[in-house]
């Protein structure tokens, strides 16, 4: 793993393969290891960069509130270090919010965009209240919060079938420091609505959703790409398509990369 210094904060990343660059951004409570299954296939034809976002994995915390723009600037610092001018971005959940912030701040860098179990819309008032509740909950009982949060990302039908995978995700999530969790919840709560980017940006875009996603309402999330050129892929499961629909997702992503 490699590191750069961004605003006196160590940012951890990996850089493998050659070809058009693909930037893989993990979600909340995850880290760059979530992409390990996919990297061997992606690097056959592409250069693949995975980045631990602020307060996750081996990347340090930046501040009490870590905005999506802060994360986007950290990603940009890595790309500048690697002299990458254009790239395809894939963001899972919170990683999608960061990818959208990056697309707004650095539009000329985006060659293609995949939102995986993510949304361009800002938090509703109800979601903001739930973020505040989550901050209180994680401060009261760190382990309980992480365990429940991870299990609730999978569709109910998969919680028994994928119990060992869920335990592995929990184990990784428990490595996330309390400050990183709180700062990310605060940052997601105040993120901007970027739905306009789905309508007005010129590069290819793909939205991948789980029909039984316990976190994102499928019908509401799908609404935002009506009358756009954004392609939609729907899987029958939950919020963790990279685990619940692993083989199908690999095929979908490889086809998208090839089309650009």
């Amino acid at each position: 793993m490699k590191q750069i210094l961004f605003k006196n904060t160590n940012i951890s990343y990996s850089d493998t393969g050659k070809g058009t660059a693909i930037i893989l951004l993990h979600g909340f409570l995850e880290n760059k290891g979530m992409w390990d299954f996919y990297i061997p296939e992606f690097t056959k034809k592409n250069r693949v960069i995975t980045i631990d976002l602020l307060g996750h994995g081996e990347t340090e915390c930046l501040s009490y509130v870590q905005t999506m723009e802060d994360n986007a600037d950290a990603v940009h610092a890595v790309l500048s270090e690697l002299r990458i001018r254009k790239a395809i971005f894939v963001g899972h959940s919170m990683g999608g919010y960061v990818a959208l912030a990056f697309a707004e701040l650095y539009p000329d860098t985006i060659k293609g965009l995949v939102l995986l179990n993510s949304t361009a819309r800002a938090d509703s008032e109800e979601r903001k209240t739930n973020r505040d509740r989550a901050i209180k909950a994680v401060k009261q009982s760190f382990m309980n919060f992480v365990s429940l949060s991870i299990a609730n990302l999978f569709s109910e039908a998969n919680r028994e079938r994928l119990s060992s995978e869920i335990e592995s995700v929990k184990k990784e999530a428990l490595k996330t420091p309390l400050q990183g969790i709180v700062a990310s919840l605060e940052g997601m709560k105040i993120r901007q609505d970027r739905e306009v980017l789905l309508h007005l940006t010129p590069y290819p875009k793909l939205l991948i959703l789980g029909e039984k996603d316990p976190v994102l309402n499928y019908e509401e999330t799908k609404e935002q790409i009506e009358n756009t050129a954004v392609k939609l892929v729907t899987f029958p499961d939950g919020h963790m398509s990279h685990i619940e629909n692993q083989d199908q997702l690999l095929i979908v992503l490889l086809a998208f990369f090839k089309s650009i």
Side-chain angles (χ1 to χ4, degrees):
M1 294 305 141
K2 301 171 183 178
Q3 288 191 332
I4 64 159
L5 202 61
F6 166 75
K7 295 185 177 178
N8 294 319
T9 302
N10 280 314
I11 310 294
S12 179
Y13 69 94
S14 71
D15 175 16
T16 48
K18 292 179 180 177
T20 299
I22 296 166
I23 316 302
L24 302 176
L25 302 176
H26 64 79
F28 177 59
L29 296 178
E30 297 171 326
N31 57 57
K32 58 184 180 294
M34 72 163 274
W35 303 108
D36 285 353
F37 169 80
Y38 296 89
I39 290 173
E41 285 298 321
F42 292 173
T43 50
K44 286 178 180 176
K45 293 186 177 178
N46 293 91
R47 182 180 185 183
V48 177
I49 290 89
T50 65
I51 302 170
D52 280 337
L53 297 173
L54 296 170
H56 287 72
E58 295 172 324
T59 289
E60 295 170 345
C61 295
L62 182 69
S63 61
Y64 181 73
V65 178
Q66 289 167 173
T67 66
M68 301 307 101
E69 292 83 359
D70 289 333
N71 277 289
D73 287 339
V75 170
H76 185 255
V78 172
L79 269 56
S80 296
E81 173 76 14
L82 299 176
R83 297 182 180 178
I84 293 171
R85 292 184 179 178
K86 269 194 177 291
I88 300 167
F89 282 71
V90 181
H92 179 244
S93 195
M94 184 182 79
Y97 310 155
V98 174
L100 286 161
F102 188 100
E104 186 173 276
L105 292 167
Y106 309 102
D108 294 341
T109 311
I110 308 282
K111 192 168 185 177
L113 175 63
V114 180
L115 297 179
L116 174 60
N117 312 115
S118 194
T119 176
R121 289 179 174 169
D123 271 0
S124 64
E125 289 307 311
E126 183 186 359
R127 288 291 297 272
K128 286 177 182 177
T129 301
N130 288 340
R131 302 271 190 214
D132 287 332
R133 285 187 185 134
I135 289 165
K136 284 181 184 174
V138 73
K139 285 178 177 177
Q140 284 169 355
S141 180
F142 179 85
M143 195 166 283
N144 278 356
F145 171 81
V146 171
S147 294
L148 282 171
S149 296
I150 296 303
N152 289 339
L153 296 174
F154 292 79
S155 68
E156 280 189 47
N158 282 332
R159 287 173 198 170
E160 191 174 333
R161 179 176 74 86
L162 296 172
S163 58
S164 62
E165 288 87 347
I166 291 171
E167 283 307 310
S168 295
V169 176
K170 281 182 189 175
K171 194 175 174 183
E172 286 300 309
L174 286 166
K175 296 176 185 176
T176 316
L178 177 62
Q179 186 190 344
I181 292 175
V182 171
S184 297
L185 286 165
E186 293 282 7
M188 287 189 285
K189 184 178 76 177
I190 61 171
R191 76 181 189 281
Q192 295 176 29
D193 190 300
R194 293 189 165 93
E195 193 173 337
V196 67
L197 294 178
L198 301 180
H199 291 259
L200 299 181
T201 49
Y203 40 78
K205 292 171 287 292
L206 175 63
L207 177 64
I208 302 172
L209 299 176
E211 210 165 5
K212 296 186 182 74
D213 190 325
V215 180
L216 291 176
N217 181 284
Y218 173 71
E219 293 299 334
E220 284 179 15
T221 310
K222 194 174 68 165
E223 276 173 15
Q224 63 197 296
I225 62 165
E226 286 176 8
N227 304 313
T228 73
V230 180
K231 291 180 181 176
L232 173 68
V233 170
T234 300
F235 291 128
D237 299 294
H239 192 70
M240 304 293 272
S241 295
H242 61 289
I243 296 173
E244 294 176 273
N245 311 101
Q246 193 177 69
D247 294 333
Q248 302 97 311
L249 178 62
L250 177 62
I251 292 166
V252 166
L253 290 175
L254 287 172
F256 182 75
F257 301 155
K258 192 177 179 181
S259 71
I260 296 176

